[in-house]
Amino acid sequence: MSIWVPRNDEGSLYVRFKYDEQMVMKIREIPGRKWVHDKKIWMIPYTPESIQQLQKLFEGTKIHVDAVLMKECSLLNNEVHMEDHIPTYSWDASIKRSMIHALQLRGYSTKTIKAYCSQVHRFHIYVQQQNTWMDYE
């Protein structure tokens, strides 16, 4: 059995796995966890305590972490399983610079460029999460 852990927002993580009553009982032990019915996914606080408890509760279970979260959270680096890993493309400084340059050539304002870059970055994160979940389903 495997679980997938993508980042939701600044304060929470998603946890997804195939339904198993024992796994549901385990995740219910994490304080602050919440079932998101419309997405059919669990949400836990993005805190060191919750991450450590997740690792402890699911010891021996493969934990797949998305690339964005893997880069920013050292607690999860040891738990990532690379087999069947989807290659990811990062939203890095060179891509952002080329987008800014293209928008400047078209005469967009600084605020518009900032907003567009922010939205493209958010869309990139969303697509990476969807790719991870598509493998799961």
Side-chain angles (χ1 to χ4, degrees), residues 94-121:
S94 66
I95 294 172
K96 185 176 179 180
R97 274 193 307 273
S98 64
M99 181 175 172
I100 290 170
H101 181 69
L103 293 172
Q104 286 171 337
L105 289 174
R106 289 171 176 79
Y108 287 95
S109 73
T110 305
K111 286 183 179 180
T112 302
I113 291 171
K114 182 178 177 184
Y116 282 16
C117 287
S118 173
Q119 292 302 315
V120 169
H121 182 240

Side-chain angles (χ1 to χ4, degrees), residues 2-57:
S2 297
I3 65 173
W4 281 258
V5 183
R7 183 170 174 190
N8 175 29
D9 58 24
E10 293 295 322
S12 62
L13 300 174
Y14 284 139
V15 179
R16 185 173 179 151
F17 50 84
K18 288 184 180 178
Y19 179 79
D20 179 271
E21 192 172 332
Q22 291 178 340
M23 292 184 68
V24 171
M25 297 304 290
K26 287 180 183 181
I27 199 148
R28 285 184 175 164
E29 294 181 34
I30 298 175
R33 79 352 198 162
K34 180 181 173 185
W35 172 249
V36 182
H37 181 71
D38 59 326
K39 294 184 180 183
K40 298 195 185 306
I41 200 164
W42 288 93
M43 191 168 57
I44 64 170
Y46 185 17
T47 63
E49 296 82 16
S50 293
I51 293 169
Q52 289 171 345
Q53 189 166 13
L54 180 76
Q55 291 173 333
K56 181 181 174 188
L57 289 169

